Amino acid sequence: MNIRKFTYIDPTITDCIEDVTNLSLWITYVQNDDGNCIIKKVVSSSPDQEYYSIERAVDNINKMAIDSSNLYLAYQHATIFAERILITNPLTNYTSVTFPSGVIESPISCTIQGSNIWFLTPGLSGNYAKLIRYNTSMVYQQTVSLNNVGFEV
């Protein structure tokens, strides 16, 4: 077994997720000097080899989730809530969604459950934490309010 060391100094990584099907890693980075966050797909055994580098004009990428076809991203942004990116064609095949009605906080996490993707908002400053469900086509399904004022997730 050959062990290789990779040192990441700058920019800071915000999330990383393994694509087991395609033997790759998706890595997200903090906002750069141009005000964009970077999403990279790299070779899992050699992260210095890039497949794709994608820029998004968002404040932060809080979390990623992945299934066999798509990458889902939870964004920190004033208008863009989340995005789905097709793994096999990420440069041109993506769907972003704005905040659903009644939701004012950006999602801090996301997870896939069957044919649904769930996003979690934190419930800060007197708001209720919420679970927001979309189907995997990014069509809004429902919002579940976690009704405990002051209970931060």
Side-chain angles (χ1 to χ4, degrees):
M1 176 181 204
N2 204 5
I3 298 174
R4 297 173 60 196
K5 180 180 177 180
F6 295 92
T7 303
Y8 293 92
I9 297 170
D10 196 33
T12 304
I13 294 173
T14 58
D15 199 12
C16 180
I17 194 163
E18 182 181 12
D19 179 355
V20 179
T21 306
N22 296 300
L23 302 175
S24 60
L25 294 173
W26 289 88
I27 304 171
T28 58
Y29 299 88
V30 296
Q31 197 176 56
N32 62 19
D33 293 337
D34 295 330
N36 296 315
C37 291
I38 307 297
I39 306 161
K40 289 186 179 183
K41 180 179 179 181
V42 299
V43 177
S44 59
S45 62
S46 186
D48 56 338
Q49 294 182 20
E50 274 182 32
Y51 288 114
Y52 300 105
S53 182
I54 305 165
E55 289 189 16
R56 289 296 186 260
V58 297
D59 299 330
N60 195 40
I61 301 169
N62 293 332
K63 191 70 177 163
M64 293 186 290
I66 195 167
D67 63 17
S68 60
S69 302
N70 296 292
L71 178 70
Y72 302 89
L73 300 110
Y75 288 141
Q76 178 76 35
H77 190 262
T79 58
I80 303 170
F81 187 76
E83 185 173 41
R84 177 192 73 180
I85 297 175
L86 183 66
I87 291 171
T88 56
N89 190 9
L91 301 178
T92 59
N93 198 324
Y94 52 87
T95 304
S96 60
V97 294
T98 58
F99 283 72
S101 179
V103 176
I104 60 172
E105 295 180 309
S106 294
I108 56 171
S109 190
C110 59
T111 189
I112 299 169
Q113 182 186 39
S115 61
N116 295 302
I117 176 85
W118 290 89
F119 295 92
L120 173 67
T121 62
L124 302 173
S125 302
N127 296 300
Y128 295 130
K130 292 179 175 71
L131 291 169
I132 298 91
R133 181 172 61 100
Y134 287 83
N135 66 21
T136 51
S137 297
M138 294 307 283
V139 175
Y140 171 80
Q141 302 296 307
Q142 80 179 108
T143 298
V144 177
S145 182
L146 306 176
N147 294 344
N148 287 330
V149 175
F151 177 75
E152 295 180 10
V153 177

